[in-house]
């Protein structure tokens, strides 16, 4: 089951570090500042914890804009699914 909701940025764990394209982040910052976040990021909810593996540029853009929350598609999953993402 998936739902879309605002999640506090500081509650999303990003276990796989990724180098983002600074130009893409800047472009997203300008867009989000002007018209808001249009596309949610995807997160897994495992035992009440949120894990983000995609939407890295949108996540960084919202962080740099000082946003407290981010729009996310949340999918509840068991720990076994989280382990598959980390493998």
């Amino acid at each position: 089951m998936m739902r879309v909701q605002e999640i506090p940025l500081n509650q999303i764990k990003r276990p796989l570090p990724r180098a983002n394209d600074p130009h893409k982040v800047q472009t997203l910052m300008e867009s989000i500042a002007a018209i808001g976040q249009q596309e949610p990021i995807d997160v897994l909810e495992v035992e009440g914890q949120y894990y983000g593996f995609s939407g890295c540029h949108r996540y960084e853009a919202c962080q740099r804009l000082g946003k407290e929350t981010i729009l996310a598609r949340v999918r509840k999953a068991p720990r076994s699914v989280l382990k598959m993402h980390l493998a």
Side-chain angles (χ1 to χ4, degrees):
M1 182 173 124
M2 196 177 316
R3 66 188 185 281
V4 176
Q5 69 183 71
E6 293 277 339
I7 296 180
L9 281 167
N10 64 6
Q11 289 184 16
I12 300 173
K13 297 178 182 186
R14 303 207 51 98
L16 302 176
R18 181 172 165 188
N20 289 334
D21 174 349
H23 177 72
K24 187 172 180 179
V25 171
Q26 183 62 42
T27 301
L28 281 166
M29 286 175 66
E30 292 166 8
S31 172
I32 291 168
I35 62 173
Q37 183 186 346
Q38 300 299 298
E39 183 65 27
I41 65 168
D42 293 308
V43 298
L44 287 178
E45 181 183 351
V46 179
E47 298 172 1
Q49 299 286 316
Y50 298 109
Y51 296 88
F53 296 96
S54 66
C56 300
H57 290 89
R58 284 168 282 166
Y59 179 87
E60 184 178 336
C62 286
Q63 264 190 326
R64 290 180 52 192
L65 284 168
K67 301 274 186 191
E68 292 187 14
T69 62
I70 190 167
L71 189 61
R73 273 187 295 269
V74 180
R75 183 169 58 104
K76 281 194 172 205
R79 190 157 286 284
S80 59
V81 171
L82 176 62
K83 287 179 181 174
M84 288 183 347
H85 281 278
L86 296 173

